[in-house]
Amino acid sequence: IEKTKDILYNKSGFYSPHDADVFSDDFVFRGPYIGPLNKKDYLDTMDAFSIYKSIPDINPNAWGYTIDPKDDNRVWFMVRNTGTFNGQALLANSLNFKPNGKEIVGCPETFSLIFDEDQKLKYLSVGYVADRFEGNTDGKGAAVGIFKAIGLPFPQVGPVQRFSQWFFSTVIRIGPLSYSRKEDVPEWWKDENVGSGGYL
């Protein structure tokens, strides 16, 4: 559990700069809208967003850490993101969405981490909302919820959103990516869905 807390607050790439050494080479990231992302694509995406630079006081306010009774290497917990968009522009090298001082009050979300036999981070799941009626993220979790709170448009799930994710992630490969190419995802990951497929 202490390793989970350290990664979440200090090494994940979302709430702080990432530490590539804590991630397994077989790492997979998955959320409701984004993923699966392999290690390289995840770290590149975190670098592109640099959420912690745009929202310098971002805090997951995590609680309820528990070890999965079916998997000793999996830790579950909840977060409720807070912060203020008063740092650098978001996606400064592309979209350049300027800070506007808006506050983020997230809804409660379920996260989990799985560690491999070497205690490297093998899997990170984020953004699965437990109560969509709390906060100011329009019931959305993870980065999508933050975008909602700060006024950055994010397309509704549907054909336009799925096409844009496919086009940027597989055709022209311009980051930040929504998911990794199938052939680049570690073999242990079996789910065929990408992006919001299979969830919404």
Side-chain angles (χ1 to χ4, degrees):
I1 287 176
E2 292 308 311
K3 182 184 285 286
T4 295
K5 292 178 181 178
D6 184 41
I7 291 173
L8 177 69
Y9 281 91
N10 304 312
K11 299 174 179 175
S12 69
F14 193 83
Y15 300 104
S16 65
H18 63 70
D19 179 352
D21 291 340
V22 304
F23 295 86
S24 164
D25 290 338
D26 285 335
F27 172 78
V28 173
F29 168 88
R30 193 66 168 101
Y33 303 94
I34 305 298
L37 289 169
N38 63 28
K39 178 178 179 177
K40 180 186 183 308
D41 292 343
Y42 170 79
L43 296 178
D44 287 349
T45 296
M46 292 301 98
D47 285 342
F49 277 118
S50 294
I51 294 279
Y52 62 91
K53 292 180 181 177
S54 299
I55 306 165
D57 61 343
I58 190 165
N59 191 330
N61 304 293
W63 81 97
Y65 297 91
T66 185
I67 295 173
D68 190 322
K70 291 186 176 181
D71 183 351
D72 290 345
N73 288 319
R74 188 169 199 171
V75 178
W76 293 91
F77 56 98
M78 304 290 289
V79 307
R80 185 183 282 116
N81 291 319
T82 57
T84 310
F85 183 30
N86 60 5
Q88 74 176 29
L90 187 64
L91 293 166
N93 295 326
S94 55
L95 185 62
N96 201 29
F97 190 70
K98 302 289 188 187
N100 54 24
K102 290 191 175 179
E103 291 189 24
I104 296 107
V105 181
C107 44
E109 308 171 33
T110 303
F111 279 40
S112 76
L113 280 70
I114 296 177
F115 296 93
D116 67 13
E117 60 276 3
D118 298 317
Q119 292 302 295
K120 298 276 192 177
L121 182 57
K122 180 178 180 180
Y123 179 57
L124 171 60
S125 68
V126 307
Y128 294 94
V129 170
D131 185 349
R132 65 189 176 95
F133 302 105
E134 282 198 25
N136 66 353
T137 63
D138 194 28
K140 306 295 188 290
V144 175
I146 289 171
F147 298 160
K148 288 283 187 181
I150 66 173
L152 178 63
F154 188 85
Q156 293 292 328
V157 173
V160 172
Q161 182 247 8
R162 289 192 180 104
F163 175 80
S164 63
Q165 286 190 324
W166 168 80
F167 186 74
F168 287 106
S169 295
T170 63
V171 178
I172 59 174
R173 299 283 295 163
I174 292 178
L177 300 175
S178 294
Y179 51 84
S180 299
R181 290 180 292 208
K182 182 178 180 181
E183 62 268 24
D184 296 333
V185 175
E187 289 184 7
W188 71 265
W189 183 259
K190 302 302 182 190
D191 189 87
E192 297 285 328
N193 291 296
V194 297
S196 60
Y199 181 69
L200 298 171

